Structures are given as structure tokens and as C-alpha cells.
């Protein structure tokens, strides 16, 4: 081949010189002739590329990792809870020589001679104590506890409260007292388990009332009133007591293994939250502890921790609302990646409590929701335009769907009372985009979830959202009967993307049809008394009839046939009432009141049919 090419070149030079010479002559003419045409064509092509692919270029320049779903969090706000992590302040100082004087209120009336005597006595005691290496041990017995409790109840004795708080601290730190913290002069001990329990219960129940009585606070106290207490002469003596109580109780809540003790301590702690206005570090620490318990604890513990966070947001307004909301949001998204025994119960609990908290400050939450939904839309646009694998995987992750689920619930809960129309339309577009992006049968659960979101938003806002086309596309999902019928339900699959072996099961086809019936029934139930219901349901009924004709599964055909019959009966009912109507189609007010009486009675056949579907679904969940 090499020799043949060489010979061919020599032959061309010898025998084809005239062709080469003619090309050299015509070259300048061809350049001038086609220069303008080529320029115009190049300019047109460049302009067309600029028009067609600006979005794609911008998306390609961006990295999916740069689009953070939790963009509502600022670094400064997220780091606000890092301070005040030390929960060890040591024991309170007790004046053992002047105890009687403090209790009786004669502290300022002691004579100089008595003071000298007490000073000499104290010096002798210190000398004896220094001679012996043994530490003084103060034991709390039942009788001592009873005496201290009486002093606190009857006289609000500061000295008695101090002693009780020291024993209370010893009880809270029992079993894990850090080294170097115990007072060098005294060791606090408790006689038996009954006294141990009694001192904890008494302090938790009576501490708030005692602090308020000593300070002279009557009625409800707010943050401003607590901050003004710095001018109160009694504040200097009570402040360390309040701080000791909070520090010990937080340590107990963090370390206690018993659920009932932790819940009881949190319940009693809620009453005294307002005092934390004087202790910002302890307030941040309590927020941090409560969020951890809210995200990881059992249902009762999680609810009690949330009530503390809710009270903090109410008492301290926007100062602590951002800290609570942002860190709860982070914990909620982080919890999506942690496998749970019952995620279908735990995650909705966290979502609902987060929605309840966010509804306290609508203006603040609206801004954060807008930023978050914009990030979701930005990531979706990149996935739809570039089909970037990383962006697509990010969308069907638990973070993305949980974030979308949160904002759907927030909008649905507040759309009637607040102006959330822009958020509503934005989130509807995002949901439609997600449903369009994932069209394969392996994403059945994600598509069902998207349609449920749209139904939820439509029902809460009263706005018509077309979902029939998204639902009816699931009728085209086909399965082969080669595989055995799966015993598990599809809801048991934790991943958004179904395994391939599920697609070969008969249960997959059944789940597709049941989902279609359930979603369409919910959609039609909302508009079953609307004047345009016949037009709304006609195409869906036609598609379901075609499916029944080609299906060979008798069990599914019976379910679909019953649904068709119920919808057709409702079409005939609405059509009959519409024919009897005397108002014009342009009379909007008459159209809105059409069949409202029948709707309130809830005796229509289709309404009862839909209620039976709901009851059946609830029964299935209870069995699980």
C-alpha cells in the first residue's frame, strides 16, 4: 500500500499539472465570490447556537456539587450553637457557719464579737481539716431532705435551695462525674435510692416556683422582665442557683438512659425557659441538645424536645427562630440518610413538627423557602438540560425528595391564610419536572409521590392541577410474568429506584393499577361535584376501558371495572343536574355554588366509594 501511494503521487505530478494550474488560477476568484456568503452563514450559525444552547452552556459550566439543597443555611447561623459546650460549673458555695443567720434573716445584725468568735471557730476547723487528709462527706438522708424541702416551701430559704441544688447536681452526675470537678472541701452523697429519686423530683418540680418567689416575680415573665432583674438586689444570689439548675438538668437530659426520666426533666425544664435570657450560652446549648433528641429520639421524646424548641422560638422571637429552624432543617435532611426501623412514621413526624415551627414566623420562612425551592429548580433544570448523571442522582436522592416534601407540606398548611402563590406555582413546576424526568417503571414510587404532592396542593389551595396524564402513563408500565410473585409490598422498598427484579413480578403490575385507581379517585373526589366533571373524567375512563380490554388479569379487571362504573354514575349525575340548571355558563358565582348542598351531605355514591378506598388504605396501614 505504501508503494502504491508513492507511485500515485508521482503520476499526479507528471500527468495532472494542468488541473493543479487551473485550481491556482481560480482560487482568488472563488475566495472573493464566496467570502460574503460564508461570512453570513457563519454569523447565522453562531447566532443560532447562541439562541438554542445558552441554557445548556450555562448548565455545563456549573457543577452539580455547587448546587447545595440546604442553601438556606448561613455559616454564621449554623455555627451559632457551637459555643457554651461546657456543662460543668462545679458545686455552689455554701456558708456553713452562717447558715442559721441566713435562714432566719439576721445576717446583717450579728455583732462584731460574735463575728470574731465565728472567725476563730472557722480558723480552728480549717486547721483540723488541713491536718486530716480525709475529705468531708455530706450525706443527704431522708430527714435532712425533708427539713430542706420545708425550708424551701415555707421560707424560700436561699441556703436550703443551695444545698438541695448541690445534692441535685450530684444526683444528675451520678456515675459519670469528671475528674477534678468535685469540691476539695466536701463530697456530696445520697443515702439511698428513695432519697435519690425524691431530691430529683422535688428540685425539678419546685425549682421554677422557688426562683420566681425569691425574685418576687408574679404572673408570666417575658425576656425583657428577666433582663431587668439585673438591677434587682436579689439577682446576684439567685443567678448562680438558676445556672446550676439548668446546667445539671441539661446534663441529666443528655446522659439519662431512662426515657421517662428524660421526658419528665424536659417537661419541667420548659417552664423555666424564660430565665435563659440571662444565659445565652446555656440557651444555645439547650437548643443543640433538644435538636439532637428531636431528630434521634423516640416519638414521645422527640415531641417533648420539639415543644422546648417551639417555646424558645416564641419567647425569644427571631433571635432564636433562625437557630432553631436552620439546625432542625439540617438534622431533618441528615436523618434521611440514616436507616430507621420505621422511616414511614419517623420522617413525617419530623416534617410535620418542622412545618409547625416554620409557621410561627411566616416572613422569615417565606424567604428561606424561596431560596430552597430555587435551588431545587436549578438542580432540576441542569438535569433536564444536560442529563448530567450526578445531577440526576441528586434529584432522586432522599435529600431532594424530603426537602420537596417539606415545602409542599408547608405551602399546603398555610396557603389559605397567607399569600404563597409564587411558592405554590414554583413548587408545582418542580414536581412536574421531576415526574417528567423519571419516566421509567423503576421510578414508580417517585412518580406516585409526585402525583400525591400535586393532589395535596390542589386540595389545600383549591386550584385545579391536571394530573390525569401523569397517572395514566403508569398503565403502560408492563411486567413479565417470568418472576415469582413478590411477597413484600412496594412501600417496603426504601430506595426511590426499584430493583430490576421487582419489574418481573406480578405484584408490580398490581401495584401500578392500584396506584392509578387510588390517585385518580383522589383527584376525581375533589372535583366530583364540579360542573365540568364530565369533561374532566371522560378521557381517563376511555383509557381505563382500553386497558381492561387488553388485560388478562381478572382480579385487576374487576377493580378497574368498578371504578369505571362509579365514575360513569357520577358523570351521569352531574350531567343531569347540569341540564336542569337555569343559569348561564358565564355566571361564575352560580358555577361556584353548583351542587354545594349535595357536596356537604356526603351521601353521593361516588363520595361513599372514595371513602371506602380511604378506609381500606387505612386498614392496610394498621395491619403493617
Amino acid at each position: 500500500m505504501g508503494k502504491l501511494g508513492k507511485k500515485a503521487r508521482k503520476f499526479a505530478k507528471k500527468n495532472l499539472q494542468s488541473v493543479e494550474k487551473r485550481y491556482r488560477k481560480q482560487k482568488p476568484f472563488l475566495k472573493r465570490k464566496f467570502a460574503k456568503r460564508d461570512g453570513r452563514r457563519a454569523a447565522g450559525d453562531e447566532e443560532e447556537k447562541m439562541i438554542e444552547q445558552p441554557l445548556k452552556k450555562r448548565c455545563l459550566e456549573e457543577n452539580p456539587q455547587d448546587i447545595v439543597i440546604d442553601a438556606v443555611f448561613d455559616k454564621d447561623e449554623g455555627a451559632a450553637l457551637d459555643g457554651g459546650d461546657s456543662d460543668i460549673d462545679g458545686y455552689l458555695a455554701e456558708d456553713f457557719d452562717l447558715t442559721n443567720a441566713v435562714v432566719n434573716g439576721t445576717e446583717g445584725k450579728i455583732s462584731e464579737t460574735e463575728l470574731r468568735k465565728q472567725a476563730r471557730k472557722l480558723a480552728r476547723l480549717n486547721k483540723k481539716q488541713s491536718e486530716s487528709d480525709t475529705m468531708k462527706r455530706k450525706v443527704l438522708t431522708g430527714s435532712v431532705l425533708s427539713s430542706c424541702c420545708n425550708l424551701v416551701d415555707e421560707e424560700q430559704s436561699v441556703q436550703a435551695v443551695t444545698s438541695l441544688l448541690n445534692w441535685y447536681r450530684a444526683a444528675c452526675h451520678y456515675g459519670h462525674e469528671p475528674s477534678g470537678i468535685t469540691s476539695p472541701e466536701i463530697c456530696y452523697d445520697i443515702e439511698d435510692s428513695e432519697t435519690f429519686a425524691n431530691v430529683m423530683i422535688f428540685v425539678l418540680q419546685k425549682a421554677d416556683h422557688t426562683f420566681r418567689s425569691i425574685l418576687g416575680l408574679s404572673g408570666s415573665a417575658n425576656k425583657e422582665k428577666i433582663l431587668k432583674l439585673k438591677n434587682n438586689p436579689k439577682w446576684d444570689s439567685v443567678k448562680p442557683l438558676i445556672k446550676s439548675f439548668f446546667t445539671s438538668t441539661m446534663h441529666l437530659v443528655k446522659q439519662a438512659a431512662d426515657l421517662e426520666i428524660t421526658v419528665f426533666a424536659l417537661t419541667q425544664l420548659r417552664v423555666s425557659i424564660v430565665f435563659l435570657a440571662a444565659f445565652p450560652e446555656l440557651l444555645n446549648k439547650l437548643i443543640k441538645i433538644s435538636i439532637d433528641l428531636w431528630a434521634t429520639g423516640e416519638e414521645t421524646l422527640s415531641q417533648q424536645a420539639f415543644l422546648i424548641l417551639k417555646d424558645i422560638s416564641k419567647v425569644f422571637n427571631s433571635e432564636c427562630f433562625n437557630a432553631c429552624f436552620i439546625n432542625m432543617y439540617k438534622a431533618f435532611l441528615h436523618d434521611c440518610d440514616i436507616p430507621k426501623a420505621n422511616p414511614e412514621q419517623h420522617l413525617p413526624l419530623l416534617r410535620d413538627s418542622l412545618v409547625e415551627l416554620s409557621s410561627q414566623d411566616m416572613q422569615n420562612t417565606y424567604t428561606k423557602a424561596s431560596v430552597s425551592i430555587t435551588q431545587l429548580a436549578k438542580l432540576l433544570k441542569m438535569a433536564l438540560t444536560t442529563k448530567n448523571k450526578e445531577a440526576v442522582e441528586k434529584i432522586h436522592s432522599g435529600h431532594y425528595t424530603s426537602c420537596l416534601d417539606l415545602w409542599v407540606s408547608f405551602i399546603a398548611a398555610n396557603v389559605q391564610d397567607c399569600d404563597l402563590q409564587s411558592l405554590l406555582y414554583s413548587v408545582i413546576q418542580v414536581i412536574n419536572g421531576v415526574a417528567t424526568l423519571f419516566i421509567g417503571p423503576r421510578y414508580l414510587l417517585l412518580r406516585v409521590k409526585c402525583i400525591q404532592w400535586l393532589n395535596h396542593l390542589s386540595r389545600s389551595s383549591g386550584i385545579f392541577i391536571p394530573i390525569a396524564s401523569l397517572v395514566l402513563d403508569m398503565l403502560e408500565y408492563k411486567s413479565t410474568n417470568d418472576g415469582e410473585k413478590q411477597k413484600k409490598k412496594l412501600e417496603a422498598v426504601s430506595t426511590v429506584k426499584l430493583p430490576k427484579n421487582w419489574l418481573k413480578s406480578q405484584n408490580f403490575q398490581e401495584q401500578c393499577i392500584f396506584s392509578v385507581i387510588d390517585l385518580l379517585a383522589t383527584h376525581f373526589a375533589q372535583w366530583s361535584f364540579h360542573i365540568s366533571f364530565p369533561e374532566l373524567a371522560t378521557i381517563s375512563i376511555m383509557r381505563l376501558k382500553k386497558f381492561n380490554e387488553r388485560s388478562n388479569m381478572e382480579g385487576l379487571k374487576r377493580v378497574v371495572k368498578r371504578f369505571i362504573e362509579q365514575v360513569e354514575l357520577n358523570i351521569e349525575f352531574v350531567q343531569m343536574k347540569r341540564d336542569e340548571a337555569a343559569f348561564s355558563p358565564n355566571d361564575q358565582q352560580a358555577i361556584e355554588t353548583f351542587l354545594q348542598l349535595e357536596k356537604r351531605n356526603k351521601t353521593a355514591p361516588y363520595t361513599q366509594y372514595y371513602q371506602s378506598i380511604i378506609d381500606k388504605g387505612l386498614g392496610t396501614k394498621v395491619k403493617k
Side-chain angles (χ1 to χ4, degrees):
M1 291 297 294
K3 290 182 179 179
L4 182 61
K6 198 172 182 180
K7 289 180 180 179
R9 285 195 298 273
K10 287 182 179 179
F11 179 81
K13 285 182 179 180
K14 288 181 180 179
N15 301 295
L16 300 178
Q17 290 181 1
S18 57
V19 176
E20 196 172 337
K21 191 181 294 183
R22 187 174 60 193
Y23 174 72
R24 282 198 300 270
K25 287 181 180 180
Q26 291 180 349
K27 190 174 181 181
F29 173 75
L30 292 172
K31 274 188 177 182
R32 288 193 303 271
K33 184 176 181 181
F34 295 106
K36 293 183 180 180
R37 186 188 302 173
D38 293 340
R40 287 194 300 270
R41 186 181 301 167
D45 292 344
E46 187 175 352
E47 186 177 355
E48 188 176 349
K49 288 179 181 178
M50 289 287 290
I51 294 173
E52 289 180 355
Q53 298 182 346
L55 181 61
K56 189 171 182 178
K57 285 183 179 180
R58 287 199 300 269
C59 292
L60 286 170
E61 290 173 359
E62 294 179 354
N63 191 344
Q65 294 179 351
D66 298 335
I67 303 176
V68 184
I69 294 176
D70 54 357
V72 294
F73 311 131
D74 296 327
K75 291 182 180 179
D76 296 338
E77 290 175 327
L81 303 184
D82 292 341
D85 200 28
S86 175
D87 59 346
I88 306 299
D89 281 339
Y91 291 95
L92 298 167
E94 295 186 51
D95 193 353
F96 299 107
D97 297 317
L98 301 179
T99 299
N100 293 329
V102 172
V103 172
N104 297 327
T106 59
E107 183 179 357
K109 300 178 181 179
I110 302 176
S111 63
E112 293 183 6
T113 56
E114 288 176 347
L115 285 174
R116 290 196 191 101
K117 289 180 181 179
Q118 290 173 355
R120 286 194 296 270
K121 184 179 179 181
L122 180 61
R124 286 196 301 271
L125 289 173
N126 288 336
K127 186 177 180 181
K128 289 180 181 179
Q129 188 174 5
S130 60
E131 291 174 356
S132 62
D133 296 332
T134 59
M135 182 183 294
K136 185 177 180 181
R137 187 165 171 264
K138 189 174 182 182
V139 181
L140 177 66
T141 61
S143 58
V144 173
L145 175 61
S146 179
S147 301
C148 288
C149 292
N150 290 333
L151 286 172
V152 171
D153 286 336
E154 297 172 4
E155 304 179 18
Q156 285 79 45
S157 169
V158 175
Q159 190 63 32
V161 174
T162 303
S163 299
L164 282 176
L165 285 173
N166 281 332
W167 276 308
Y168 175 69
R169 183 192 181 281
C172 291
H173 290 77
Y174 180 77
H176 34 77
E177 178 75 74
S179 59
I181 301 301
T182 305
S183 172
E185 298 178 357
I186 192 166
C187 174
Y188 290 88
D189 201 357
I190 300 175
E191 185 181 35
D192 50 29
S193 59
E194 184 180 356
T195 309
F196 182 94
N198 289 337
V199 69
M200 292 192 70
I201 292 173
F202 181 83
V203 172
L204 285 170
Q205 288 181 338
K206 300 288 185 176
D208 181 76
H209 174 72
T210 304
F211 296 148
R212 292 173 187 265
S213 299
I214 295 173
L215 293 170
L217 292 175
S218 59
S220 60
N222 54 19
K223 181 186 69 172
E224 289 75 18
K225 189 180 287 188
I226 296 298
L227 293 176
K228 288 179 182 178
L229 287 175
K230 293 180 180 179
N231 302 324
N232 191 327
K234 298 179 181 179
W235 174 248
D236 291 336
S237 60
V238 178
K239 181 180 177 181
L241 305 182
I242 298 174
K243 187 176 181 180
S244 176
F245 169 72
F246 274 109
T247 305
S248 301
T249 307
M250 288 182 198
H251 184 83
L252 173 66
V253 167
K254 238 165 75 171
Q255 302 295 336
D258 188 271
L259 178 63
E260 292 183 4
I261 292 176
T262 308
V263 171
F264 178 71
L266 287 174
T267 305
Q268 301 303 317
L269 202 59
R270 281 182 62 199
V271 187
S272 306
I273 280 177
V274 69
F275 285 111
L276 289 173
F279 308 99
E281 289 187 355
L282 289 180
L283 177 61
N284 289 334
K285 185 187 170 186
L286 180 60
I287 293 174
K288 191 174 181 180
I289 293 172
S290 300
I291 289 174
D292 290 340
L293 296 175
W294 169 75
T296 60
E298 299 292 331
E299 183 177 354
T300 307
L301 182 59
S302 179
Q303 290 175 348
Q304 199 60 45
F306 168 70
L307 290 176
I308 283 189
L309 294 167
K310 185 179 176 182
D311 288 349
I312 289 174
S313 300
K314 279 184 179 179
V315 172
F316 299 98
N317 300 327
S318 58
E319 298 175 12
C320 289
F321 174 81
N322 283 336
C324 291
F325 178 80
I326 288 172
N327 288 278
M328 286 175 71
Y329 198 124
K330 284 181 177 180
F332 172 68
L333 293 182
H334 177 70
D335 195 73
C336 300
D337 296 334
I338 302 175
K340 298 280 183 182
N342 51 350
E344 65 278 357
Q345 295 179 4
H346 187 69
L347 287 177
L349 177 67
L350 299 185
R351 177 203 65 202
D352 293 342
S353 55
L354 195 50
V355 168
E356 185 178 348
L357 178 76
S358 61
S359 301
Q360 291 184 185
D361 190 344
M362 290 300 300
Q363 186 176 0
N364 204 337
T365 308
Y366 182 93
T367 305
K368 290 176 171 54
S370 179
V371 174
S372 181
I373 293 172
T374 301
Q375 292 297 103
L376 298 178
K378 197 174 180 181
L379 187 61
L380 176 64
K381 187 183 291 185
M382 177 182 291
L384 288 169
T385 308
T386 65
K387 304 298 182 184
N388 184 287
K389 184 179 179 181
E390 189 175 351
V392 173
E393 288 178 353
K394 223 172 181 183
I395 288 175
H396 68 71
S397 66
H399 270 69
Y400 193 95
T401 53
S402 297
C403 185
L404 197 54
D405 188 30
L406 173 66
W407 296 126
V408 167
S409 301
F410 169 74
I411 294 169
N414 299 283
V415 69
Q416 292 291 343
D417 302 324
C418 306
D419 184 14
L420 302 177
Q421 296 302 316
S422 59
L423 291 182
L424 174 64
Y425 292 127
S426 298
V427 82
I428 288 173
Q429 289 177 344
V430 172
I431 295 170
N432 277 318
V434 172
T436 306
L437 179 63
F438 301 101
I439 57 176
R442 295 187 68 184
Y443 298 100
L444 170 68
L445 297 183
L446 181 59
R447 175 167 282 243
V448 169
K449 190 65 179 174
C450 288
I451 299 169
Q452 287 174 346
W453 286 333
L454 293 175
N455 275 335
H456 187 29
L457 290 172
S458 177
R459 189 167 55 253
S460 59
S461 64
I463 295 174
F464 174 74
I465 302 175
I467 57 101
S469 60
L470 296 175
V471 177
L472 295 172
D473 286 345
M474 291 192 292
L475 292 174
E476 307 302 324
Y477 293 166
K478 296 181 180 179
S479 65
T480 59
N481 295 326
D482 300 336
E484 297 180 359
K485 185 173 180 178
Q486 300 285 349
K487 293 182 180 179
K488 297 180 181 178
K489 295 289 183 183
L490 289 180
E491 289 87 347
V493 182
S494 59
T495 57
V496 177
K497 192 174 181 180
L498 292 174
K500 288 184 178 179
N501 62 312
W502 282 88
L503 307 184
K504 299 179 180 180
S505 66
Q506 182 181 351
N507 191 42
F508 173 77
Q509 183 72 21
E510 293 177 358
Q511 190 67 30
C512 286
I513 304 306
F514 291 149
S515 299
V516 168
I517 298 300
D518 184 45
L519 296 170
L520 280 179
T522 304
H523 181 57
F524 288 163
Q526 183 183 352
W527 306 104
S528 59
F529 294 97
H530 197 270
I531 197 168
S532 62
F533 181 78
E535 289 76 16
L536 171 65
T538 299
I539 296 178
S540 300
I541 294 302
M542 291 171 60
R543 291 281 300 274
L544 289 172
K545 285 181 178 179
K546 286 183 180 179
F547 170 79
N548 249 13
E549 290 174 0
R550 65 173 184 265
S551 177
N552 56 2
M553 301 175 69
E554 292 300 325
L556 293 179
K557 289 177 72 174
R558 285 195 299 270
V559 174
V560 175
K561 185 179 179 181
R562 187 183 175 216
F563 177 72
I564 292 172
E565 290 174 352
Q566 294 294 327
V567 175
E568 285 181 337
L569 284 174
N570 199 72
I571 290 175
E572 293 176 2
F573 171 72
V574 175
Q575 187 69 50
M576 180 184 66
K577 293 292 183 180
R578 194 165 70 176
D579 293 340
E580 296 174 357
F583 55 84
S584 168
N586 296 327
D587 190 349
Q588 189 65 32
Q589 186 176 359
I591 290 174
E592 291 177 358
T593 58
F594 180 73
L595 294 180
Q596 290 303 305
L597 181 61
E598 289 81 354
K599 185 176 182 179
R600 285 193 292 269
N601 290 336
K602 297 183 179 180
T603 56
Y606 185 80
T607 305
Q608 294 179 355
Y609 166 73
Y610 176 62
Q611 188 61 43
S612 68
I613 292 179
I614 295 176
D615 295 340
K616 186 177 180 181
L618 290 174
T620 306
K621 289 181 181 179
V622 169
K623 287 179 183 178
K624 291 179 186 178

